[in-house]
Amino acid sequence: MSEPFTSVHDVVVVGARAAGAATAMLLAREGLDVLVVDRSGYGADTLSTHALMRAGVVQLHRWGLLDNIVAAGTPAVRTTTFTYADEEVRVTIKPSHGVDALYAPRRTVLDPVLVDAARAAGASFEFGTRVTDVTRDRAGRVAGVTGRDRDGRSVRHEARWVVGADGLRSVVADAVEAPIERRGTGVTAVVYGYWSGLAADGYHWVFRRDACAGLIPTNDDQTCVFASATPARIGRGGMNILHEVVRAAAPALADRVASATPPGGVRTFGGLPGYMRMPWGAGWALVGDAGYWKDPIGAHGLTDALRDAELLAQAIIAIATAGATESDALDHYHRIRNRLSLPLFDVVNTIADMRWNDDEIPGLLRQLSSAMSDEVELVARLDEQPAVNGVLL
Ligand SMILES: Cc1cc2nc3c(=O)[nH]c(=O)nc-3n(C[C@H](O)[C@H](O)[C@H](O)COP(=O)(O)OP(=O)(O)OC[C@H]3O[C@@H](n4cnc5c(N)ncnc54)[C@H](O)[C@@H]3O)c2cc1C
């Protein structure tokens, strides 16, 4: 049997999307040798809508990537409309921290922009490789990954750190047995697709118990229409249940959707309760959904993935280039992630539970908004005051 192909790096990142490609870009920009492996292909779509919140847009702007998102034809989102309890509240996106609009790039746009930026900074990518396990040194420290490339050959990549950015059902998280620190109970299923000829004036979110829906304007003059409800209501998904839930949520919106050009098909996500995992250990760290997942009803996973990519990259850079100890720097990453995420995690979990009534939902949305504002303030300052300096403890 032939020896597996072996390479040696500072960091091997598993997963080349929002969390992984952003982490790789930031590490490579500081001169680290980074390899990213992903079982899927460059630019492939994935099961996800893609509304970015302000913190994520601020980061793309700071990283010099927002222009590429705009150049790809991603429309600016200048208002968010909330419909709940027979009220319609329209919020204008105010300019702050260098951005005056939100964006919802398709994943076929966002992920390649991040990959290209990481490549430009010197990171290497290996698409089509499926990681199957981590390797360990004699002391038990994680020291690399093994897997199979697109031709079925064994590969082995060694590194000082392995970053699991491999999303839900992370192989890295399983291999290192990362403990779950918090579990959610609320869970929604989502069915979504892309309509043409459906003008959307910014984001539109409708919150009714067991019938949420919304519009997300995106690339190619299309609007993502989604319906979200308990998994029992969404069932196997499909176009009929999407129309049924949108109509139950907001009849006027349902009429607009019905008169636009529908897609050939819709995609369905069956739902998964939230979790937060311990995000680091000897030689490994987790970022993005691999470490922390919450229900998509909050439309916040991508924004948090970008945030945690920067927090983790700062911790690794501090160890590799500034002599910080691994436990201090990665513990700091863990604490800041939790401090920012817990309020969001808990309120999203309550919304996803779908047990609220019309009187309660405005308060829950205010809690969500307040958690997001705290996050924006931190994220906007991250490049001036890296979190790992202890400033933000
Ligand atoms: C239906 C739905 C709607 C959503 N809507 C929104 C929204 O509107 N806004 C928002 O911010 N978030 C949304 N989210 C959440 C968002 O999709 C995630 O938070 C985001 O994708 C996390 O990015 P990531 O890089 O951590 O993981 P992913 O995007 O899942 O990327 C993980 C990568 O790892 C690779 N990988 C996995 N296993 C292996 C392996 N063994 N070997 C090699 N590679 C591997 C995969 O191929 C994949 O490319 C939604 C999610 C869902 C399911």
Side-chain angles (χ1 to χ4, degrees), residues 318-333:
I319 306 162
T321 69
T325 63
E326 185 172 281
S327 55
D328 282 354
L330 291 173
D331 179 56
H332 203 104
Y333 162 57

Side-chain angles (χ1 to χ4, degrees), residues 9-35:
H9 308 271
D10 292 325
V11 183
V12 168
V13 179
V14 184
R17 292 189 184 272
T23 305
M25 175 193 74
L26 295 166
L27 294 173
R29 283 181 176 180
E30 292 300 318
L32 273 72
D33 171 353
V34 186
L35 172 71

Side-chain angles (χ1 to χ4, degrees), residues 81-138:
T81 303
F82 296 91
T83 302
Y84 49 78
D86 300 323
E87 264 192 74
E88 191 152 288
V89 179
R90 196 163 183 268
V91 180
T92 302
I93 308 300
K94 295 198 186 79
S96 81
H97 305 299
V99 306
D100 63 358
L102 306 181
Y103 294 88
R106 289 287 299 261
R107 298 297 296 271
T108 49
V109 172
L110 176 67
D111 296 337
V113 162
L114 291 165
V115 170
D116 292 350
R119 274 196 174 124
S124 308
F125 281 77
E126 193 176 291
F127 286 101
T129 289
R130 178 183 295 270
V131 167
T132 49
D133 207 349
V134 299
T135 60
R136 293 179 186 271
D137 66 15
R138 286 202 186 129

Side-chain angles (χ1 to χ4, degrees), residues 14-20 37-40 46-53 107 111 129-132 165-171 190 192 205 216 269 287-290 293-294 296 299-305:
V14 184
R17 292 189 184 272
V37 292
D38 197 302
R39 66 184 179 199
S40 70
T46 187
L47 184 66
S48 165
T49 65
H50 32 77
L52 291 176
M53 299 299 146
R107 298 297 296 271
D111 296 337
T129 289
R130 178 183 295 270
V131 167
T132 49
D166 48 343
L168 298 175
R169 302 173 192 89
S170 160
V171 166
V190 187
Y192 70 94
W205 315 127
I216 303 174
F269 174 68
V287 67
D289 286 357
W293 159 257
K294 67 210 150 309
H300 213 77
L302 289 165
T303 296
D304 279 353

Side-chain angles (χ1 to χ4, degrees), residues 49-61 65-80 93 98-107 109-110 202-203 205 216-219 299 302-303 306:
T49 65
H50 32 77
L52 291 176
M53 299 299 146
R54 188 186 292 270
V57 179
V58 166
Q59 282 181 293
L60 292 173
H61 168 64
L65 304 181
L66 192 56
D67 287 350
N68 303 25
I69 301 290
V70 174
T74 315
V77 169
R78 299 193 189 279
T79 61
T80 301
I93 308 300
V99 306
D100 63 358
L102 306 181
Y103 294 88
R106 289 287 299 261
R107 298 297 296 271
V109 172
L110 176 67
Y203 291 154
W205 315 127
I216 303 174
T218 190
N219 304 92
L302 289 165
T303 296
L306 299 179

